[in-house]
Amino acid sequence: MERRQLLITSAKVGAATGIAGGAVTLDPVAFEAAAAPAPEGDTVQTRTISGRIEYGAPDWVYVPLEIPAGVNRISVSYSYDRPAAPAGQNGNALDIGLFDQNGIELGDSRGFRGWSGGFRTEFTVSASDATPGYLPGPIRKGTWHVIFGPYTVHPQGLNWTLNVTLTFGPDGVPFKPAPAPLKAKGRGAAWYRGDMHLHTVHSDGRRQPAELAAAARAAKLDFFVSTEHNTPSAAGVWGQYAGDDLLIVDGEEITTRNGHFTALGLPAGTWIDWRYRASDGALARFVQQIHRAGGLAVAAHPFATCVACGWRFGFAGLDAVEVWNGPWTLDDEAVVANWDSLLVASGRTGQWIPAVGNSDAHSEPQVVGLPHNVVHAGGLDRRSILDGVRAGRLWIAESAGVDLTFTAAAKGRTVGIGQRLDVGDDEPVTVTLAVSGAGSCAVRFVTDQGQRLATLLPAEGTGTVSWTTNPRNSSYVRAEVRRQTPTPTTADTMVALTNPIFLGRVGGHR
């Protein structure tokens, strides 16, 4: 369709300054009201806005846009200067997103229209379609906001330029979402394999949704959770790629300025806000929102070293902690040690936080399913999978080629991963791990006293290891299967890691 260009103007706005953790709203940018419809096609109006963000910037900078009636599409592009960073300091990195006329109030999902972080330099939104990461829907009159997130700012400051183009005309055909079904065929009560932290082009990944679904099937996964950064936009397409053989669960990775966490099992289209720090005291509010929606909140890669990636909120109220993220590294080693400390402190109370492991795969060559979770669930449906994760009925595998069972038995009673064997403090308990497909590896049993047993598997990686203890000696036991020789890309490759089995009565000897 031919377009008629009405107006191109430019404006400067004041510098955004402030302390980290705050927000600044700039002067509004006005647009001309719609002219008479052009017979030859839609009318287009563009404004170019420029500004500056100083070093020590706020977390969020809002650019208000006064959108007139009659607009059917908003297109945005932006750029900023990127001087070389001084030694030991950060350069410029500027994220971007969009809120509509319903406002920018913290936690109010009605105004959210999309987020692409620093992954894209342009996006578009209309009733019929939107750039991945953004939500299709009508463009209504009112004050919209482009949101900038100064991820890092060079000591010299950051100069930015924003181009906003409005297209006037009737709304197109409304976008029709295709959400994923809530259940797949499954095998009844069984162990199901799934990766619960994954990205596509709907945030900062390069895989298309179809490519991610194909990779999950190739990895022999039964399910995966879609966790795009700060947006639920992918939920509108997953129904095209799910099937009886693959459950796709909606979620989000919430990337705050003090760490990331994932929301697993959200209803399609549910959005969780990310605009807060640990000092704001807001986390509990959004964890409660996730729980009210039926989902789980999981601390993601808590010891990651990238800016704003490390978890600073503590673990109170969370449902799990991601102890293994992508290929095994020293970061994961530290997270597991910290998780063990949490188990020691809470194991006797019956209130403990399970461990999960996920690939966090964004693009090739990152491997979907390295690692993934093997969850015991009543069926292959969203609720059953979440129940299994919440209960800690899971272990973490390097690949689908690795399998194991892990049990504890005493006096004819047997329990498995994530469960408690309720016996007296001095009752002998036999803990047994059966492994297959692990290759030449070592098995370790770890308790609240530290590593208690280490033994080698046969070269073919199939074997059974048993150990006898009692609740007075071990309030819990968990198992690790480790490759003895580090690979070129990992510090010490983990092959499998289980959640604990608890021994003794709640509030027992210790």
Side-chain angles (χ1 to χ4, degrees):
M1 178 179 290
E2 185 180 350
R3 295 182 176 183
R4 185 174 66 177
Q5 189 78 17
L6 265 188
L7 179 68
I8 299 179
T9 62
S10 64
K12 277 191 173 290
V13 298
T17 60
I19 60 171
V24 165
T25 301
L26 305 181
D27 294 334
V29 178
F31 292 81
E32 299 292 332
E40 69 274 20
D42 292 345
T43 297
V44 176
Q45 182 182 155
T46 298
R47 280 198 179 275
T48 299
I49 309 108
S50 60
R52 178 175 173 81
I53 299 172
E54 300 293 350
Y55 185 66
D59 284 339
W60 317 112
V61 176
Y62 295 95
V63 183
L65 308 174
E66 300 297 343
I67 305 300
V71 175
N72 67 9
R73 182 177 295 274
I74 298 178
S75 300
V76 174
S77 65
Y78 79 116
S79 61
Y80 55 93
D81 58 346
R82 307 188 190 199
Q89 299 190 53
N90 297 308
N92 286 333
L94 186 63
D95 295 341
I96 195 169
L98 185 69
F99 287 79
D100 68 17
Q101 80 284 352
N102 288 302
I104 58 175
E105 184 178 352
L106 183 68
D108 189 345
S109 63
R110 295 174 300 170
F112 177 76
R113 288 303 289 268
W115 179 258
S116 49
F119 187 65
R120 301 182 187 279
T121 59
E122 58 186 30
F123 61 84
T124 186
V125 175
S126 76
S128 302
D129 62 85
T131 301
Y134 293 80
L135 305 181
I139 309 300
R140 296 294 179 242
K141 178 181 178 180
T143 302
W144 291 52
H145 291 83
V146 167
I147 176 176
F148 282 138
Y151 185 60
T152 57
V153 176
H154 192 287
Q156 295 177 2
L158 184 155
N159 297 303
W160 55 265
T161 299
L162 179 69
N163 300 297
V164 181
T165 298
L166 307 184
T167 303
F168 292 83
D171 290 344
V173 177
F175 172 78
K176 185 176 181 180
L182 299 182
K183 64 183 301 182
K185 187 175 182 180
R187 304 179 297 278
W191 293 90
Y192 294 98
R193 295 178 181 265
D195 194 336
M196 304 189 297
H197 187 166
L198 289 161
H199 301 275
T200 70
V201 294
H202 281 265
S203 57
D204 60 345
R206 296 197 179 277
R207 287 185 173 95
Q208 296 290 335
E211 293 174 315
L212 179 55
R217 288 182 166 99
K220 299 181 180 180
L221 301 183
D222 300 296
F223 72 94
F224 71 81
V225 184
S226 168
T227 55
E228 306 293 0
H229 292 282
N230 299 342
T231 180
S233 66
V237 305
W238 282 127
Q240 303 172 48
Y241 309 108
D244 284 347
D245 64 327
L246 182 64
L247 174 70
I248 300 178
V249 179
D250 294 305
E252 180 185 332
E253 182 172 7
I254 301 100
T255 58
T256 80
R257 286 296 190 249
N258 282 149
H260 300 185
F261 67 112
T262 55
L264 311 180
L266 297 175
T270 302
W271 173 68
I272 307 298
D273 209 333
W274 70 91
R275 295 170 294 166
Y276 42 90
R277 287 176 175 259
S279 58
D280 296 326
L283 178 69
R285 168 186 172 184
F286 294 102
V287 170
Q288 289 169 6
Q289 180 186 353
I290 293 167
H291 289 164
R292 286 196 301 270
L296 305 180
V298 180
H301 45 66
F303 286 6
T305 57
C306 49
V307 174
C309 294
W311 187 247
R312 301 290 184 265
F313 292 87
F315 299 99
L318 298 185
D319 300 291
V321 56
E322 188 179 71
V323 303
W324 185 355
N325 178 276
W328 184 263
T329 66
L330 292 176
D331 291 351
D332 303 307
E333 198 76 64
V335 177
V336 168
N338 184 70
W339 173 60
D340 256 330
S341 297
L342 297 175
L343 293 177
V344 171
S346 64
R348 287 283 179 178
T349 69
Q351 302 295 320
W352 62 285
I353 186 165
V356 300
N358 302 293
S359 73
D360 196 6
H362 286 65
S363 311
E364 296 289 351
Q366 295 170 345
V367 179
V368 173
L370 171 58
H372 64 266
N373 306 279
V374 189
V375 183
H376 192 271
L380 188 53
D381 61 272
R382 185 179 71 180
R383 175 173 292 183
S384 296
I385 293 295
L386 295 183
D387 286 347
V389 175
R390 184 185 294 109
R393 298 294 321 277
L394 68 89
W395 58 278
I396 308 167
E398 179 187 59
S399 74
V402 180
D403 202 6
L404 63 77
T405 60
F406 184 49
T407 60
K411 288 189 172 180
R413 289 170 289 171
T414 301
V415 301
I417 296 167
Q419 297 181 315
R420 178 176 292 275
L421 186 59
D422 186 0
V423 294
D425 282 346
D426 298 310
E427 188 73 42
V429 176
T430 300
V431 181
T432 302
L433 177 73
V435 184
S436 64
S440 181
C441 293
V443 169
R444 302 180 184 180
F445 285 168
V446 181
T447 78
D448 53 323
Q449 302 298 314
Q451 180 177 303
R452 302 301 301 277
L453 177 71
T455 188
L456 297 179
L457 289 174
E460 64 272 17
T462 298
T464 300
V465 179
S466 294
W467 178 60
T468 299
T469 184
N470 60 43
R472 189 185 297 275
N473 192 44
S474 308
S475 65
Y476 68 85
V477 184
R478 62 176 186 82
E480 298 176 357
V481 182
R482 292 177 178 254
R483 190 170 292 110
Q484 292 179 275
T485 304
T487 71
T489 58
T490 57
D492 181 4
T493 298
M494 185 76 74
V495 175
L497 181 153
T498 76
N499 270 292
I501 297 173
F502 293 96
L503 308 181
R505 299 181 176 92
V506 174
H509 176 72
R510 290 189 184 84

